[in-house]
Amino acid sequence: MASAECADLEVSLTRRDAGLYAIEMRFTQPGSEADVRLETGAGEAAMAHIDLAALREQLLDADAYGATLGAALFGSAAAAAMYARAEATAQELGTPLRLRLAIGADAPELHALRWETLRSPAGARLVASEQVQFSRYLSSADWQAVRLRPQTELRVLVAIANPAGLGEYGLAAVDVEREWNGVREALGALQIAALKEPGEATLDRITEQLRGGIDVLYLVCHGTWQRGASWLWLEDAEGKIDRVGGEALVERIAGLGTRPRLVVLASCEGAGAGQTHGAEGEAMAALGPSLARAGVPAVLAMQGTISAQTVSVLMPRFFAELRREGQVDRALARARAAVQDRRDWWMPALFMRLRSGRISYTPGFGGDRSSFEKWPALLQSIKAGRCTPIVGPGLAEPLLGGSRELARRWAETYHYPLAGDREDLPQVAQYLVVHQDPNFPRDELESSQRAVLRERFPLAVPKDMWEAPLDELLVKVAAWRQAQGEQDSHATLAALPLPIFVTTAVDRLLEHNLEARGKAPNSAVCAWQGEAEAEGAPGGSCGRMWRGRWCITCSDGSTRATRWC
């Protein structure tokens, strides 16, 4: 999991009196176990004087609003100096500055402020730069652990509500196809479920999909703010308007066994004259803190009636960056920078309680650069052809998903009784051997892999080819993913000037990629348990692992692999 570390500055606000808030700051450099705290020199906390009435008068001028808010937050000389030092340190180190604003439970009125417009002590737009990764930090009483998932296993639900009859309430129809096409292209080969046909974007259908294990929920609908409560304009089963209280959605998500890692709430442009300016975004933004407190690790909500033009640039860029690195605050910083010249650039608000900002990682070996110091020697050996990669079946996870996901499916389908081992594939497979048949897991494995490929990549293979051998399907899907711009580890390995590869994979993806580069691979089975030849392997050279034996592939067509046995 490779990622550039960030310099981290956390700013906390707690209420002392009407309009008066105590400021605490804590700065941590990348790789440091110690932090630096705000010191006033007088033994008292630095204070921020925030005039809520004055800010309300500047709602129509984002720059003036941000300047007033910045003057209040950094009015203390100590606070201004510490921010300037943190910013300068991040620049010197060549790393982004992760800025987290933590609002105390005793100051809920501060959630309504447009912190994203904030200006630095020097007067610059603080959040518009890619070098500042800003989020509002919210604590939660939820004890559910948030563990990173492989990027290829992320599951996304896109729900777009366009109920009939919106015009009667002064609301514009939602352009479903435009919304869908934009996000679909940005998400690339990730697993996507969609509720976009009339009558699909209902609260019950959304809940049903989430219950199946969704990591990212992208909800596009109209929202209104009435009598201190948010309302979402979803659909009923007949495709008509169903106004759902925001808290109803929060309750449904809070009650899930596994909650989404990220919820994106997108309000729609087109509020009629009867609505208060910004009511769409106000309704969505109000759900951010509620969802965060309910246990959702990250919530992105629009805090104003954001234009369709801005959304058409912002959201595809956000999801494309999220797909690339899995880091929410960095993805938003880059997306926001892409629309900083537009008047509504500040409207996306990120509520997050993730320490690293990540919801996923890209599987690979070596980890962060700082944790593996022998890269020069390794790269030199690769260039000289003196390196032998040892490859496992996990290299095909971008296509077939991980073993934990497969184990969970089998456990649910065949009623595996032990709650603690439901993601342990060997344990679940052993259960199937006992309760079904010794050959059942092997046969079910191919059926499951075919189903996964068809579910995740329906456009990759012509409809009349889905009954082809599994190896052919894998090659077709891999080629389609590469055409979508996705990286392929087999292709990367095959391009290296190496003579021998050792693999336990049961597919021929490595051989296919070697052949695609004009090489002539020769695959042989290594009988490491003492048997001379693999039972059932044609000529002992099939490119598969049989009964636990290693399969060795020589990229130059030689038979040198036999000496490894």
Side-chain angles (χ1 to χ4, degrees), residues 515-540:
E515 292 166 355
R517 281 154 183 77
K519 301 178 181 180
N522 178 43
S523 300
V525 174
C526 177
W528 60 272
Q529 289 182 328
E531 300 176 19
E533 190 171 314
E535 177 186 346

Side-chain angles (χ1 to χ4, degrees), residues 185-402:
E185 182 178 353
L187 289 172
L190 291 184
Q191 304 175 64
I192 307 175
L195 299 175
K196 61 186 183 68
E197 300 300 327
E200 287 189 341
T202 68
L203 181 61
D204 287 341
R205 289 288 300 276
I206 292 172
T207 305
E208 178 184 348
Q209 288 284 341
L210 293 176
R211 193 175 290 117
I214 293 294
D215 298 294
V216 180
L217 167 63
Y218 179 41
L219 175 60
V220 182
C221 68
H222 280 290
T224 53
W225 180 258
Q226 295 176 343
R227 298 180 181 178
S230 59
W231 295 86
L232 304 177
W233 294 61
L234 301 180
E235 302 176 5
D236 62 17
E238 297 179 354
K240 298 178 181 179
I241 294 173
D242 182 20
R243 289 175 67 250
V244 175
E247 287 304 313
L249 176 65
V250 173
E251 290 176 4
R252 294 287 185 99
I253 291 179
L256 295 172
T258 302
R259 286 175 279 283
R261 297 160 185 268
L262 169 65
V263 173
V264 180
L265 301 171
S267 57
C268 310
E269 183 184 40
Q275 279 194 274
T276 304
H277 176 79
E280 289 262 358
E282 191 175 8
M284 293 299 188
L287 286 179
S290 297
L291 286 169
R293 285 191 291 268
V296 178
V299 182
L300 175 59
M302 305 304 148
Q303 55 185 325
T305 308
I306 193 167
S307 68
Q309 292 79 8
T310 300
V311 169
S312 67
V313 176
L314 179 87
M315 296 314 302
R317 178 67 183 272
F318 170 76
F319 280 115
E321 295 290 343
L322 185 68
R323 173 171 61 97
R324 184 174 296 112
E325 295 186 354
Q327 190 165 332
V328 183
D329 52 355
R330 181 176 300 174
L332 179 57
R334 292 176 177 174
R336 201 190 325 257
V339 297
Q340 61 180 303
D341 293 333
R342 300 192 60 82
R343 62 173 179 79
D344 50 1
W345 64 271
W346 54 270
M347 290 189 179
L350 176 60
F351 304 86
M352 187 174 70
R353 60 184 182 92
L354 299 169
R355 288 180 298 178
S356 68
R358 287 187 173 276
I359 60 171
S360 65
Y361 68 94
T362 301
F365 88 99
D368 291 344
R369 186 180 184 88
S370 60
S371 66
F372 188 74
E373 300 177 353
K374 296 187 178 182
W375 280 112
L378 176 59
L379 294 176
Q380 190 177 70
S381 297
I382 291 175
K383 291 178 181 178
R386 297 194 300 266
C387 179
T388 301
I390 300 177
V391 182
L395 215 61
E397 284 190 3
L399 308 182
L400 297 170

